[in-house]
Amino acid sequence: MIDVEVGRTPTGMRSFSMAYRSEFLRQWDAAIERGSRAKLLRENNLAYGTVHRWIAARDRGEWTASMRAAAEKPGRRMDSRERAELAQLRKENQQLRQKVEQAEAAQQILGKHSSSWST
């Protein structure tokens, strides 16, 4: 099995990084025993057509150009786990803001009542 995470597109489709594709094709090229490639496809839940497109792109040199473009591109994309964590943190942040607003409102109310008691 490959230890590189598989991401998801906004529509829920799987998105394979270049590291994943490279490692898979390395294993694919090394698979010489009968049935080993079919086993590799099953273990990674991939269709032969997908792998065939990766092989064709690699053979045409598209991967090298893609890797160069990615290296020159500033920043990096978030994977699905990072997007989920960001969404959770935003939700928690919003909840904490609401609690602070409630606490400030309660403090104002109590502050007004306590000042009227002291006079």
Side-chain angles (χ1 to χ4, degrees), residues 68-119:
R68 268 194 232 116
E72 293 169 358
K73 188 176 178 182
R76 70 171 191 78
R77 293 178 49 192
M78 288 191 292
D79 64 17
S80 58
R81 187 176 17 160
E82 289 171 327
R83 281 193 296 273
E85 181 183 15
L86 180 59
Q88 178 63 30
L89 290 171
R90 285 180 175 163
K91 181 179 175 183
E92 288 176 17
N93 192 6
Q94 182 61 32
Q95 291 170 345
L96 290 172
R97 286 178 192 267
Q98 289 174 345
K99 284 184 179 182
V100 166
E101 286 177 14
Q102 289 173 351
E104 288 174 347
Q107 187 176 17
Q108 278 186 337
I109 292 170
L110 292 174
K112 287 180 183 177
H113 287 314
S114 64
S115 65
S116 64
W117 290 335
S118 62
T119 57

Side-chain angles (χ1 to χ4, degrees), residues 3-22:
D3 290 335
V4 179
E5 296 254 349
V6 175
R8 294 276 176 188
T9 65
T11 59
M13 300 288 293
R14 292 184 299 171
S15 175
F16 302 98
S17 67
M18 287 302 273
Y20 183 95
R21 294 176 192 190
S22 296

